[in-house]
Amino acid sequence: MVAYVRMSVQGNLDKAVGQRLLATVGLECWGVFGLNGKEGLIERLPAYCRSARRDPWFILIDFDRDAPCAPTRIEQLVGTERPDLLALRIAVRAVESWLMADKDRFATFLGIKRSAIPDLPDEVQAPTEAVVNLARESKHRRIREALVPEPGRRKARRGPLYSQCLTSFVLPGTLASGSDSPRDLWDPEVAAGASPSLRSCLEALRGLRTRLERGR
Amino acid sequence: MRLARLKLTNWRNFVSVDVSLPLRAFLVGPNASGKSNFLDALRFLRDVACAGGLREAVRRRGGLQRVRCLAAARQPAVALEAEIVDHRTAPPTTWSYTLEFNRGGQTKTVQITTEVVRRDGVLTMTHLEQVAANKEFRQVADFLGLIKYYHIVPQLVRDPERYVGGRDDPFGGDFLERVAGTTKKKLDSRLRRIEKALRVAVPQLSELKLERDAAGRPHLRGKYQHWRAQGAWQTEHDFSDGTLRLLGLLWSLLDDGGPLLLEEPELSLHTAVVRRIPSMIAAVQRRAEKRQVIVSTHSLDLLRDEDISPDEVFVFRPTEAGTKVEVLCDRSEVQLLLEDGIPIPEVVSAITPPNTEQLALFGE
């Protein structure tokens, strides 16, 4: 029997990644909450925790370039007694690190050399900038136009179709060409081999699944 | 009097729904889930009661095949049942009006198969013609006739020449004529109140009045303050879409009449103004007649008003067997999320997610 999990994420790319992770461990998503930025999500944590005393939740937060005190703040909001059915995961910097961790497929998707992708994606300080810089070298114009901001726009951190384009690497059926056979898509299991934070996220979700099965 | 309940059978998107309506209701759901068609059922009852009867009401909507539910098997009858409570009596009187129709007879025209009026559950009448003739039951038909629908289209307000319909155009074709047709005392008092509210959204607008041009056509004129000490007068032709829509919304709220149906009142309005719509409705409902307002909306900002109660929110959920309508707090899992402190708009967007991923492919 499938267990239905409430998921809260800050934006569309995280939503896609979260949905793939749930599917990977055999959990079904019941509803996607948040989608209102990181601050919106953090503000709502106490409410999610109350709900997680009863129903399973998967909350995915990116840390991005936040001060190191951010995890402490989350600990305070969630409290020491973390609900049993809460899988709260913090991507070390951003979920892009997890995408980079599937080196072969990401290189093919972006149309770049495999060696250009960092070996330790969790250690990359600014994953968004890293992905944008990788995309600059892409042989596909489509990728460059989507991910890289137009030259001269110094305030723009990323291209206008950044999340949308990366989502097409994560979720099946979201690539325009329609040629996204599952074997070209991001493989969380493979990626977990190169990203300890992703590995522990998958473990946490498997643990949640086990607890749910045991609870029945 | 107010609408307490609406039951629809084989009507447009609905195979069968039964909805209890509060004084203020917000209808939410994906595009084409049937929010407008739900409101149209009420407009249909209004048309039957006071605008030419059943056949005319069906004809206006393009025939029976257009109003009948596509998900319904074969060609069943279409039925609408409205329950109306009259709080002026003690104890309150509950009226119900049931209308069922189908194609029938040798001519295969639209015919009434059942028409019933009940008072406190007791069958009292079986034909609208008789209802209309009978003074006592006349109030049911009169009440349905007072239902008003507003969906102002700014271009129609600016250019009434395009409008060839009759009176009471919900899209605003005769909006200015209607405003002009109000008694002077009412008009002045309403314009002052609208002026005050409009000034919040459009701070440059300082005065509002209605004037007729040489040809006798009414025009709204607004005084805009700018660097010139005197400001400048502009007519509805120069008003922005947002100004005209807000004006229409405010007017509709102040207008006399029965239940008010508002279609996406958030259109063209600033987020901060949209968030105030629910409380503006509540404020006019404090008046003695407690006018019922039913709003269809796609705006999570509108639902952000923290005084909206979950039993005022109706979720339209399309299924293969027609659209279902649920009160937000009817599903226990949803009620629990609300109790945990997750606000209504977030819950609504989580449980009625359109699959927008595919939109990303647009243009590629």
mmCIF file of all heavy atoms in Angstrom, chain A residues 6 15 30-34 44 47-48 50-51 54 57 142 164 171 173-176, chain B residues 331 333-334 336-337 339-343 346-347 349-351 356-358 360-361 364:
data_model
loop_
_atom_site.group_PDB
_atom_site.id
_atom_site.type_symbol
_atom_site.label_atom_id
_atom_site.label_comp_id
_atom_site.label_asym_id
_atom_site.label_seq_id
_atom_site.Cartn_x
_atom_site.Cartn_y
_atom_site.Cartn_z
ATOM 1 N N ARG A 6 2.543 14.572 2.810
ATOM 2 C CA ARG A 6 2.443 15.995 2.526
ATOM 3 C C ARG A 6 3.851 16.537 2.342
ATOM 4 O O ARG A 6 4.739 16.197 3.122
ATOM 5 C CB ARG A 6 1.777 16.731 3.695
ATOM 6 C CG ARG A 6 0.288 16.479 3.824
ATOM 7 C CD ARG A 6 -0.014 15.659 5.064
ATOM 8 N NE ARG A 6 -1.436 15.482 5.294
ATOM 9 C CZ ARG A 6 -2.150 14.464 4.842
ATOM 10 N NH1 ARG A 6 -1.583 13.507 4.125
ATOM 11 N NH2 ARG A 6 -3.441 14.365 5.096
ATOM 12 N N LYS A 15 10.222 21.403 -5.765
ATOM 13 C CA LYS A 15 9.017 20.581 -5.839
ATOM 14 C C LYS A 15 9.277 19.369 -6.738
ATOM 15 O O LYS A 15 8.977 18.230 -6.379
ATOM 16 C CB LYS A 15 7.859 21.420 -6.397
ATOM 17 C CG LYS A 15 6.606 20.649 -6.713
ATOM 18 C CD LYS A 15 5.530 21.589 -7.247
ATOM 19 C CE LYS A 15 4.495 20.843 -8.060
ATOM 20 N NZ LYS A 15 3.565 21.744 -8.739
ATOM 21 N N TRP A 30 0.831 13.677 -1.379
ATOM 22 C CA TRP A 30 -0.603 13.981 -1.194
ATOM 23 C C TRP A 30 -0.927 15.420 -1.576
ATOM 24 O O TRP A 30 -2.001 15.720 -2.062
ATOM 25 C CB TRP A 30 -0.976 13.730 0.267
ATOM 26 C CG TRP A 30 -2.432 13.950 0.569
ATOM 27 C CD1 TRP A 30 -3.449 13.063 0.394
ATOM 28 C CD2 TRP A 30 -3.038 15.134 1.112
ATOM 29 N NE1 TRP A 30 -4.639 13.608 0.790
ATOM 30 C CE2 TRP A 30 -4.421 14.879 1.235
ATOM 31 C CE3 TRP A 30 -2.543 16.382 1.504
ATOM 32 C CZ2 TRP A 30 -5.309 15.826 1.734
ATOM 33 C CZ3 TRP A 30 -3.425 17.325 1.996
ATOM 34 C CH2 TRP A 30 -4.793 17.044 2.111
ATOM 35 N N GLY A 31 0.000 16.319 -1.319
ATOM 36 C CA GLY A 31 -0.243 17.732 -1.646
ATOM 37 C C GLY A 31 1.069 18.489 -1.485
ATOM 38 O O GLY A 31 1.879 18.140 -0.640
ATOM 39 N N VAL A 32 1.254 19.503 -2.321
ATOM 40 C CA VAL A 32 2.490 20.284 -2.231
ATOM 41 C C VAL A 32 2.181 21.626 -1.562
ATOM 42 O O VAL A 32 1.381 22.415 -2.060
ATOM 43 C CB VAL A 32 3.113 20.509 -3.621
ATOM 44 C CG1 VAL A 32 4.433 21.259 -3.483
ATOM 45 C CG2 VAL A 32 3.316 19.190 -4.334
ATOM 46 N N PHE A 33 2.821 21.853 -0.429
ATOM 47 C CA PHE A 33 2.614 23.075 0.348
ATOM 48 C C PHE A 33 3.799 24.014 0.149
ATOM 49 O O PHE A 33 4.798 23.639 -0.457
ATOM 50 C CB PHE A 33 2.446 22.720 1.817
ATOM 51 C CG PHE A 33 1.173 21.961 2.094
ATOM 52 C CD1 PHE A 33 1.073 20.607 1.790
ATOM 53 C CD2 PHE A 33 0.059 22.604 2.623
ATOM 54 C CE1 PHE A 33 -0.102 19.911 2.016
ATOM 55 C CE2 PHE A 33 -1.111 21.914 2.844
ATOM 56 C CZ PHE A 33 -1.191 20.568 2.551
ATOM 57 N N GLY A 34 3.679 25.205 0.708
ATOM 58 C CA GLY A 34 4.767 26.162 0.628
ATOM 59 C C GLY A 34 4.749 26.886 -0.695
ATOM 60 O O GLY A 34 3.805 27.621 -0.993
ATOM 61 N N ARG A 44 6.300 28.750 8.421
ATOM 62 C CA ARG A 44 5.209 27.787 8.565
ATOM 63 C C ARG A 44 5.639 26.509 9.289
ATOM 64 O O ARG A 44 4.802 25.643 9.560
ATOM 65 C CB ARG A 44 4.697 27.451 7.172
ATOM 66 C CG ARG A 44 3.263 26.998 7.104
ATOM 67 C CD ARG A 44 2.256 28.073 7.403
ATOM 68 N NE ARG A 44 1.964 28.913 6.270
ATOM 69 C CZ ARG A 44 1.865 30.236 6.341
ATOM 70 N NH1 ARG A 44 2.026 30.857 7.474
ATOM 71 N NH2 ARG A 44 1.601 30.937 5.272
ATOM 72 N N ALA A 47 3.578 24.944 12.169
ATOM 73 C CA ALA A 47 2.296 24.362 11.753
ATOM 74 C C ALA A 47 2.517 22.992 11.105
ATOM 75 O O ALA A 47 1.786 22.038 11.374
ATOM 76 C CB ALA A 47 1.579 25.302 10.788
ATOM 77 N N TYR A 48 3.540 22.904 10.243
ATOM 78 C CA TYR A 48 3.826 21.614 9.606
ATOM 79 C C TYR A 48 4.151 20.561 10.670
ATOM 80 O O TYR A 48 3.750 19.405 10.563
ATOM 81 C CB TYR A 48 5.014 21.726 8.641
ATOM 82 C CG TYR A 48 4.812 22.679 7.470
ATOM 83 C CD1 TYR A 48 5.895 23.329 6.879
ATOM 84 C CD2 TYR A 48 3.537 22.916 6.944
ATOM 85 C CE1 TYR A 48 5.731 24.188 5.806
ATOM 86 C CE2 TYR A 48 3.365 23.783 5.867
ATOM 87 C CZ TYR A 48 4.468 24.411 5.306
ATOM 88 O OH TYR A 48 4.304 25.270 4.243
ATOM 89 N N ARG A 50 3.145 20.444 13.768
ATOM 90 C CA ARG A 50 1.919 20.009 14.458
ATOM 91 C C ARG A 50 1.216 18.941 13.626
ATOM 92 O O ARG A 50 0.769 17.921 14.143
ATOM 93 C CB ARG A 50 0.986 21.207 14.675
ATOM 94 C CG ARG A 50 1.350 22.036 15.897
ATOM 95 C CD ARG A 50 0.237 23.011 16.252
ATOM 96 N NE ARG A 50 0.125 24.112 15.299
ATOM 97 C CZ ARG A 50 0.877 25.208 15.326
ATOM 98 N NH1 ARG A 50 1.803 25.351 16.257
ATOM 99 N NH2 ARG A 50 0.713 26.165 14.441
ATOM 100 N N SER A 51 1.137 19.193 12.314
ATOM 101 C CA SER A 51 0.466 18.238 11.436
ATOM 102 C C SER A 51 1.228 16.915 11.386
ATOM 103 O O SER A 51 0.625 15.849 11.280
ATOM 104 C CB SER A 51 0.353 18.848 10.041
ATOM 105 O OG SER A 51 -0.206 17.936 9.162
ATOM 106 N N ARG A 54 0.664 13.645 13.269
ATOM 107 C CA ARG A 54 -0.417 12.757 12.860
ATOM 108 C C ARG A 54 -0.183 12.177 11.463
ATOM 109 O O ARG A 54 -0.419 11.020 11.218
ATOM 110 C CB ARG A 54 -1.690 13.604 12.836
ATOM 111 C CG ARG A 54 -2.973 12.939 13.002
ATOM 112 C CD ARG A 54 -4.045 14.014 13.005
ATOM 113 N NE ARG A 54 -3.741 15.055 12.030
ATOM 114 C CZ ARG A 54 -3.517 16.328 12.335
ATOM 115 N NH1 ARG A 54 -3.596 16.760 13.570
ATOM 116 N NH2 ARG A 54 -3.216 17.197 11.390
ATOM 117 N N TRP A 57 5.064 14.017 6.731
ATOM 118 C CA TRP A 57 5.490 15.226 6.027
ATOM 119 C C TRP A 57 6.919 15.078 5.544
ATOM 120 O O TRP A 57 7.769 14.543 6.251
ATOM 121 C CB TRP A 57 5.435 16.443 6.965
ATOM 122 C CG TRP A 57 4.076 17.064 7.043
ATOM 123 C CD1 TRP A 57 3.041 16.648 7.820
ATOM 124 C CD2 TRP A 57 3.619 18.215 6.330
ATOM 125 N NE1 TRP A 57 1.957 17.463 7.628
ATOM 126 C CE2 TRP A 57 2.275 18.439 6.722
ATOM 127 C CE3 TRP A 57 4.192 19.082 5.399
ATOM 128 C CZ2 TRP A 57 1.520 19.488 6.209
ATOM 129 C CZ3 TRP A 57 3.434 20.133 4.893
ATOM 130 C CH2 TRP A 57 2.105 20.321 5.299
ATOM 131 N N ARG A 142 19.869 26.279 -26.656
ATOM 132 C CA ARG A 142 18.667 26.238 -25.818
ATOM 133 C C ARG A 142 19.023 26.277 -24.328
ATOM 134 O O ARG A 142 18.400 26.986 -23.540
ATOM 135 C CB ARG A 142 17.912 24.938 -26.121
ATOM 136 C CG ARG A 142 16.424 25.072 -26.120
ATOM 137 C CD ARG A 142 15.746 23.720 -26.257
ATOM 138 N NE ARG A 142 15.082 23.374 -25.014
ATOM 139 C CZ ARG A 142 15.458 22.394 -24.201
ATOM 140 N NH1 ARG A 142 16.493 21.653 -24.509
ATOM 141 N NH2 ARG A 142 14.796 22.159 -23.106
ATOM 142 N N GLN A 164 12.652 26.110 -14.804
ATOM 143 C CA GLN A 164 11.878 25.316 -15.748
ATOM 144 C C GLN A 164 12.766 24.330 -16.496
ATOM 145 O O GLN A 164 12.426 23.165 -16.662
ATOM 146 C CB GLN A 164 11.266 26.292 -16.732
ATOM 147 C CG GLN A 164 9.983 25.807 -17.300
ATOM 148 C CD GLN A 164 9.390 26.895 -18.147
ATOM 149 O OE1 GLN A 164 9.600 26.913 -19.337
ATOM 150 N NE2 GLN A 164 8.679 27.807 -17.534
ATOM 151 N N LEU A 171 11.905 15.865 -13.815
ATOM 152 C CA LEU A 171 10.595 15.208 -13.927
ATOM 153 C C LEU A 171 10.355 14.713 -15.347
ATOM 154 O O LEU A 171 10.568 15.468 -16.298
ATOM 155 C CB LEU A 171 9.470 16.187 -13.561
ATOM 156 C CG LEU A 171 9.160 16.435 -12.093
ATOM 157 C CD1 LEU A 171 7.923 17.305 -11.996
ATOM 158 C CD2 LEU A 171 8.970 15.143 -11.319
ATOM 159 N N GLY A 173 8.381 13.909 -18.761
ATOM 160 C CA GLY A 173 7.256 14.552 -19.446
ATOM 161 C C GLY A 173 7.291 16.055 -19.408
ATOM 162 O O GLY A 173 6.321 16.710 -19.731
ATOM 163 N N THR A 174 8.410 16.656 -18.994
ATOM 164 C CA THR A 174 8.453 18.121 -18.949
ATOM 165 C C THR A 174 9.499 18.684 -19.914
ATOM 166 O O THR A 174 9.851 19.841 -19.844
ATOM 167 C CB THR A 174 8.775 18.629 -17.527
ATOM 168 O OG1 THR A 174 9.942 17.961 -17.065
ATOM 169 C CG2 THR A 174 7.635 18.352 -16.580
ATOM 170 N N LEU A 175 9.975 17.827 -20.820
ATOM 171 C CA LEU A 175 10.949 18.307 -21.781
ATOM 172 C C LEU A 175 10.244 18.527 -23.118
ATOM 173 O O LEU A 175 9.493 17.676 -23.580
ATOM 174 C CB LEU A 175 12.075 17.270 -21.942
ATOM 175 C CG LEU A 175 13.322 17.764 -22.645
ATOM 176 C CD1 LEU A 175 14.027 18.819 -21.797
ATOM 177 C CD2 LEU A 175 14.269 16.610 -22.917
ATOM 178 N N ALA A 176 10.502 19.689 -23.739
ATOM 179 C CA ALA A 176 9.776 20.055 -24.954
ATOM 180 C C ALA A 176 9.984 19.046 -26.073
ATOM 181 O O ALA A 176 9.060 18.675 -26.781
ATOM 182 C CB ALA A 176 10.216 21.434 -25.410
ATOM 183 N N ARG B 331 -13.663 17.786 4.429
ATOM 184 C CA ARG B 331 -12.735 16.647 4.458
ATOM 185 C C ARG B 331 -11.944 16.738 5.747
ATOM 186 O O ARG B 331 -11.309 17.741 6.034
ATOM 187 C CB ARG B 331 -11.791 16.709 3.257
ATOM 188 C CG ARG B 331 -12.454 16.192 1.992
ATOM 189 C CD ARG B 331 -11.731 16.676 0.768
ATOM 190 N NE ARG B 331 -10.477 15.959 0.540
ATOM 191 C CZ ARG B 331 -9.668 16.241 -0.476
ATOM 192 N NH1 ARG B 331 -9.968 17.214 -1.305
ATOM 193 N NH2 ARG B 331 -8.558 15.574 -0.642
ATOM 194 N N GLU B 333 -9.163 15.482 6.737
ATOM 195 C CA GLU B 333 -7.717 15.732 6.654
ATOM 196 C C GLU B 333 -7.437 17.213 6.400
ATOM 197 O O GLU B 333 -6.436 17.753 6.855
ATOM 198 C CB GLU B 333 -7.039 14.828 5.623
ATOM 199 C CG GLU B 333 -7.411 15.054 4.174
ATOM 200 C CD GLU B 333 -8.547 14.151 3.704
ATOM 201 O OE1 GLU B 333 -9.481 13.901 4.499
ATOM 202 O OE2 GLU B 333 -8.517 13.728 2.541
ATOM 203 N N VAL B 334 -8.352 17.865 5.689
ATOM 204 C CA VAL B 334 -8.181 19.291 5.415
ATOM 205 C C VAL B 334 -8.468 20.105 6.678
ATOM 206 O O VAL B 334 -7.724 21.023 7.040
ATOM 207 C CB VAL B 334 -9.107 19.731 4.248
ATOM 208 C CG1 VAL B 334 -9.104 21.236 4.111
ATOM 209 C CG2 VAL B 334 -8.671 19.077 2.959
ATOM 210 N N LEU B 336 -8.027 19.185 9.649
ATOM 211 C CA LEU B 336 -6.903 19.034 10.571
ATOM 212 C C LEU B 336 -5.742 19.948 10.186
ATOM 213 O O LEU B 336 -5.110 20.564 11.039
ATOM 214 C CB LEU B 336 -6.433 17.571 10.599
ATOM 215 C CG LEU B 336 -7.425 16.605 11.270
ATOM 216 C CD1 LEU B 336 -7.045 15.159 11.011
ATOM 217 C CD2 LEU B 336 -7.479 16.869 12.781
ATOM 218 N N LEU B 337 -5.485 20.071 8.885
ATOM 219 C CA LEU B 337 -4.400 20.959 8.435
ATOM 220 C C LEU B 337 -4.693 22.399 8.855
ATOM 221 O O LEU B 337 -3.807 23.122 9.301
ATOM 222 C CB LEU B 337 -4.261 20.900 6.906
ATOM 223 C CG LEU B 337 -3.668 19.613 6.325
ATOM 224 C CD1 LEU B 337 -3.866 19.577 4.819
ATOM 225 C CD2 LEU B 337 -2.182 19.517 6.654
ATOM 226 N N GLU B 339 -6.547 23.326 11.375
ATOM 227 C CA GLU B 339 -6.398 23.419 12.835
ATOM 228 C C GLU B 339 -4.937 23.496 13.239
ATOM 229 O O GLU B 339 -4.590 24.112 14.241
ATOM 230 C CB GLU B 339 -7.061 22.212 13.508
ATOM 231 C CG GLU B 339 -8.571 22.330 13.573
ATOM 232 C CD GLU B 339 -9.249 21.045 14.033
ATOM 233 O OE1 GLU B 339 -8.552 20.169 14.581
ATOM 234 O OE2 GLU B 339 -10.465 20.932 13.830
ATOM 235 N N ASP B 340 -4.056 22.862 12.442
ATOM 236 C CA ASP B 340 -2.628 22.909 12.755
ATOM 237 C C ASP B 340 -2.038 24.288 12.480
ATOM 238 O O ASP B 340 -0.898 24.555 12.848
ATOM 239 C CB ASP B 340 -1.866 21.875 11.918
ATOM 240 C CG ASP B 340 -2.186 20.458 12.369
ATOM 241 O OD1 ASP B 340 -2.437 20.275 13.569
ATOM 242 O OD2 ASP B 340 -2.196 19.551 11.527
ATOM 243 N N GLY B 341 -2.797 25.133 11.792
ATOM 244 C CA GLY B 341 -2.317 26.493 11.569
ATOM 245 C C GLY B 341 -1.840 26.766 10.163
ATOM 246 O O GLY B 341 -1.195 27.778 9.903
ATOM 247 N N ILE B 342 -2.138 25.874 9.241
ATOM 248 C CA ILE B 342 -1.782 26.158 7.848
ATOM 249 C C ILE B 342 -2.942 26.963 7.253
ATOM 250 O O ILE B 342 -4.089 26.552 7.314
ATOM 251 C CB ILE B 342 -1.536 24.857 7.066
ATOM 252 C CG1 ILE B 342 -0.405 24.087 7.753
ATOM 253 C CG2 ILE B 342 -1.186 25.158 5.607
ATOM 254 C CD1 ILE B 342 -0.161 22.716 7.231
ATOM 255 N N PRO B 343 -2.633 28.154 6.710
ATOM 256 C CA PRO B 343 -3.718 29.047 6.289
ATOM 257 C C PRO B 343 -4.501 28.530 5.073
ATOM 258 O O PRO B 343 -3.982 27.734 4.291
ATOM 259 C CB PRO B 343 -3.000 30.354 5.951
ATOM 260 C CG PRO B 343 -1.565 30.149 6.204
ATOM 261 C CD PRO B 343 -1.305 28.726 6.494
ATOM 262 N N GLU B 346 -2.989 28.394 1.448
ATOM 263 C CA GLU B 346 -1.953 27.373 1.234
ATOM 264 C C GLU B 346 -2.579 25.985 1.111
ATOM 265 O O GLU B 346 -2.174 25.167 0.288
ATOM 266 C CB GLU B 346 -0.931 27.406 2.383
ATOM 267 C CG GLU B 346 0.292 26.558 2.070
ATOM 268 C CD GLU B 346 1.397 26.659 3.112
ATOM 269 O OE1 GLU B 346 1.361 27.586 3.942
ATOM 270 O OE2 GLU B 346 2.288 25.799 3.078
ATOM 271 N N VAL B 347 -3.610 25.740 1.929
ATOM 272 C CA VAL B 347 -4.292 24.448 1.860
ATOM 273 C C VAL B 347 -5.010 24.318 0.516
ATOM 274 O O VAL B 347 -4.922 23.296 -0.163
ATOM 275 C CB VAL B 347 -5.288 24.288 3.028
ATOM 276 C CG1 VAL B 347 -6.133 23.044 2.853
ATOM 277 C CG2 VAL B 347 -4.539 24.232 4.357
ATOM 278 N N SER B 349 -4.310 25.757 -2.313
ATOM 279 C CA SER B 349 -3.411 25.559 -3.445
ATOM 280 C C SER B 349 -2.775 24.177 -3.400
ATOM 281 O O SER B 349 -2.431 23.612 -4.424
ATOM 282 C CB SER B 349 -2.369 26.673 -3.517
ATOM 283 O OG SER B 349 -1.186 26.304 -2.891
ATOM 284 N N ALA B 350 -2.655 23.586 -2.209
ATOM 285 C CA ALA B 350 -2.080 22.243 -2.135
ATOM 286 C C ALA B 350 -3.074 21.175 -2.586
ATOM 287 O O ALA B 350 -2.681 20.169 -3.161
ATOM 288 C CB ALA B 350 -1.607 21.944 -0.710
ATOM 289 N N ILE B 351 -4.356 21.411 -2.316
ATOM 290 C CA ILE B 351 -5.308 20.352 -2.669
ATOM 291 C C ILE B 351 -5.979 20.549 -4.018
ATOM 292 O O ILE B 351 -6.660 19.663 -4.502
ATOM 293 C CB ILE B 351 -6.389 20.136 -1.573
ATOM 294 C CG1 ILE B 351 -7.262 21.386 -1.427
ATOM 295 C CG2 ILE B 351 -5.776 19.740 -0.243
ATOM 296 C CD1 ILE B 351 -8.452 21.153 -0.529
ATOM 297 N N THR B 356 0.695 22.340 -13.661
ATOM 298 C CA THR B 356 1.213 23.416 -14.501
ATOM 299 C C THR B 356 2.544 23.095 -15.161
ATOM 300 O O THR B 356 3.012 23.874 -15.972
ATOM 301 C CB THR B 356 1.383 24.703 -13.679
ATOM 302 O OG1 THR B 356 2.127 24.382 -12.515
ATOM 303 C CG2 THR B 356 0.045 25.280 -13.296
ATOM 304 N N GLU B 357 3.133 21.950 -14.803
ATOM 305 C CA GLU B 357 4.437 21.620 -15.393
ATOM 306 C C GLU B 357 4.385 21.664 -16.926
ATOM 307 O O GLU B 357 5.304 22.131 -17.577
ATOM 308 C CB GLU B 357 4.915 20.240 -14.947
ATOM 309 C CG GLU B 357 5.780 20.252 -13.691
ATOM 310 C CD GLU B 357 4.956 20.376 -12.424
ATOM 311 O OE1 GLU B 357 3.756 20.043 -12.481
ATOM 312 O OE2 GLU B 357 5.500 20.824 -11.400
ATOM 313 N N GLN B 358 3.255 21.180 -17.464
ATOM 314 C CA GLN B 358 3.149 21.122 -18.921
ATOM 315 C C GLN B 358 3.148 22.515 -19.557
ATOM 316 O O GLN B 358 3.544 22.676 -20.703
ATOM 317 C CB GLN B 358 1.873 20.376 -19.329
ATOM 318 C CG GLN B 358 1.941 18.877 -19.087
ATOM 319 C CD GLN B 358 3.028 18.205 -19.909
ATOM 320 O OE1 GLN B 358 3.207 18.527 -21.074
ATOM 321 N NE2 GLN B 358 3.769 17.293 -19.303
ATOM 322 N N ALA B 360 5.066 24.736 -18.963
ATOM 323 C CA ALA B 360 6.451 25.118 -19.200
ATOM 324 C C ALA B 360 6.861 24.845 -20.639
ATOM 325 O O ALA B 360 7.785 25.447 -21.161
ATOM 326 C CB ALA B 360 7.363 24.365 -18.239
ATOM 327 N N LEU B 361 6.159 23.926 -21.280
ATOM 328 C CA LEU B 361 6.518 23.575 -22.653
ATOM 329 C C LEU B 361 5.996 24.591 -23.654
ATOM 330 O O LEU B 361 6.375 24.608 -24.806
ATOM 331 C CB LEU B 361 5.944 22.202 -23.016
ATOM 332 C CG LEU B 361 6.297 21.067 -22.070
ATOM 333 C CD1 LEU B 361 5.749 19.768 -22.603
ATOM 334 C CD2 LEU B 361 7.793 20.974 -21.890
ATOM 335 N N GLU B 364 7.846 26.443 -26.762
ATOM 336 C CA GLU B 364 9.107 25.799 -27.188
ATOM 337 C C GLU B 364 8.903 25.074 -28.511
ATOM 338 O O GLU B 364 7.805 24.660 -28.826
ATOM 339 C CB GLU B 364 9.568 24.812 -26.109
ATOM 340 C CG GLU B 364 10.040 25.549 -24.876
ATOM 341 C CD GLU B 364 11.169 24.829 -24.144
ATOM 342 O OE1 GLU B 364 11.846 24.005 -24.777
ATOM 343 O OE2 GLU B 364 11.369 25.108 -22.963
#
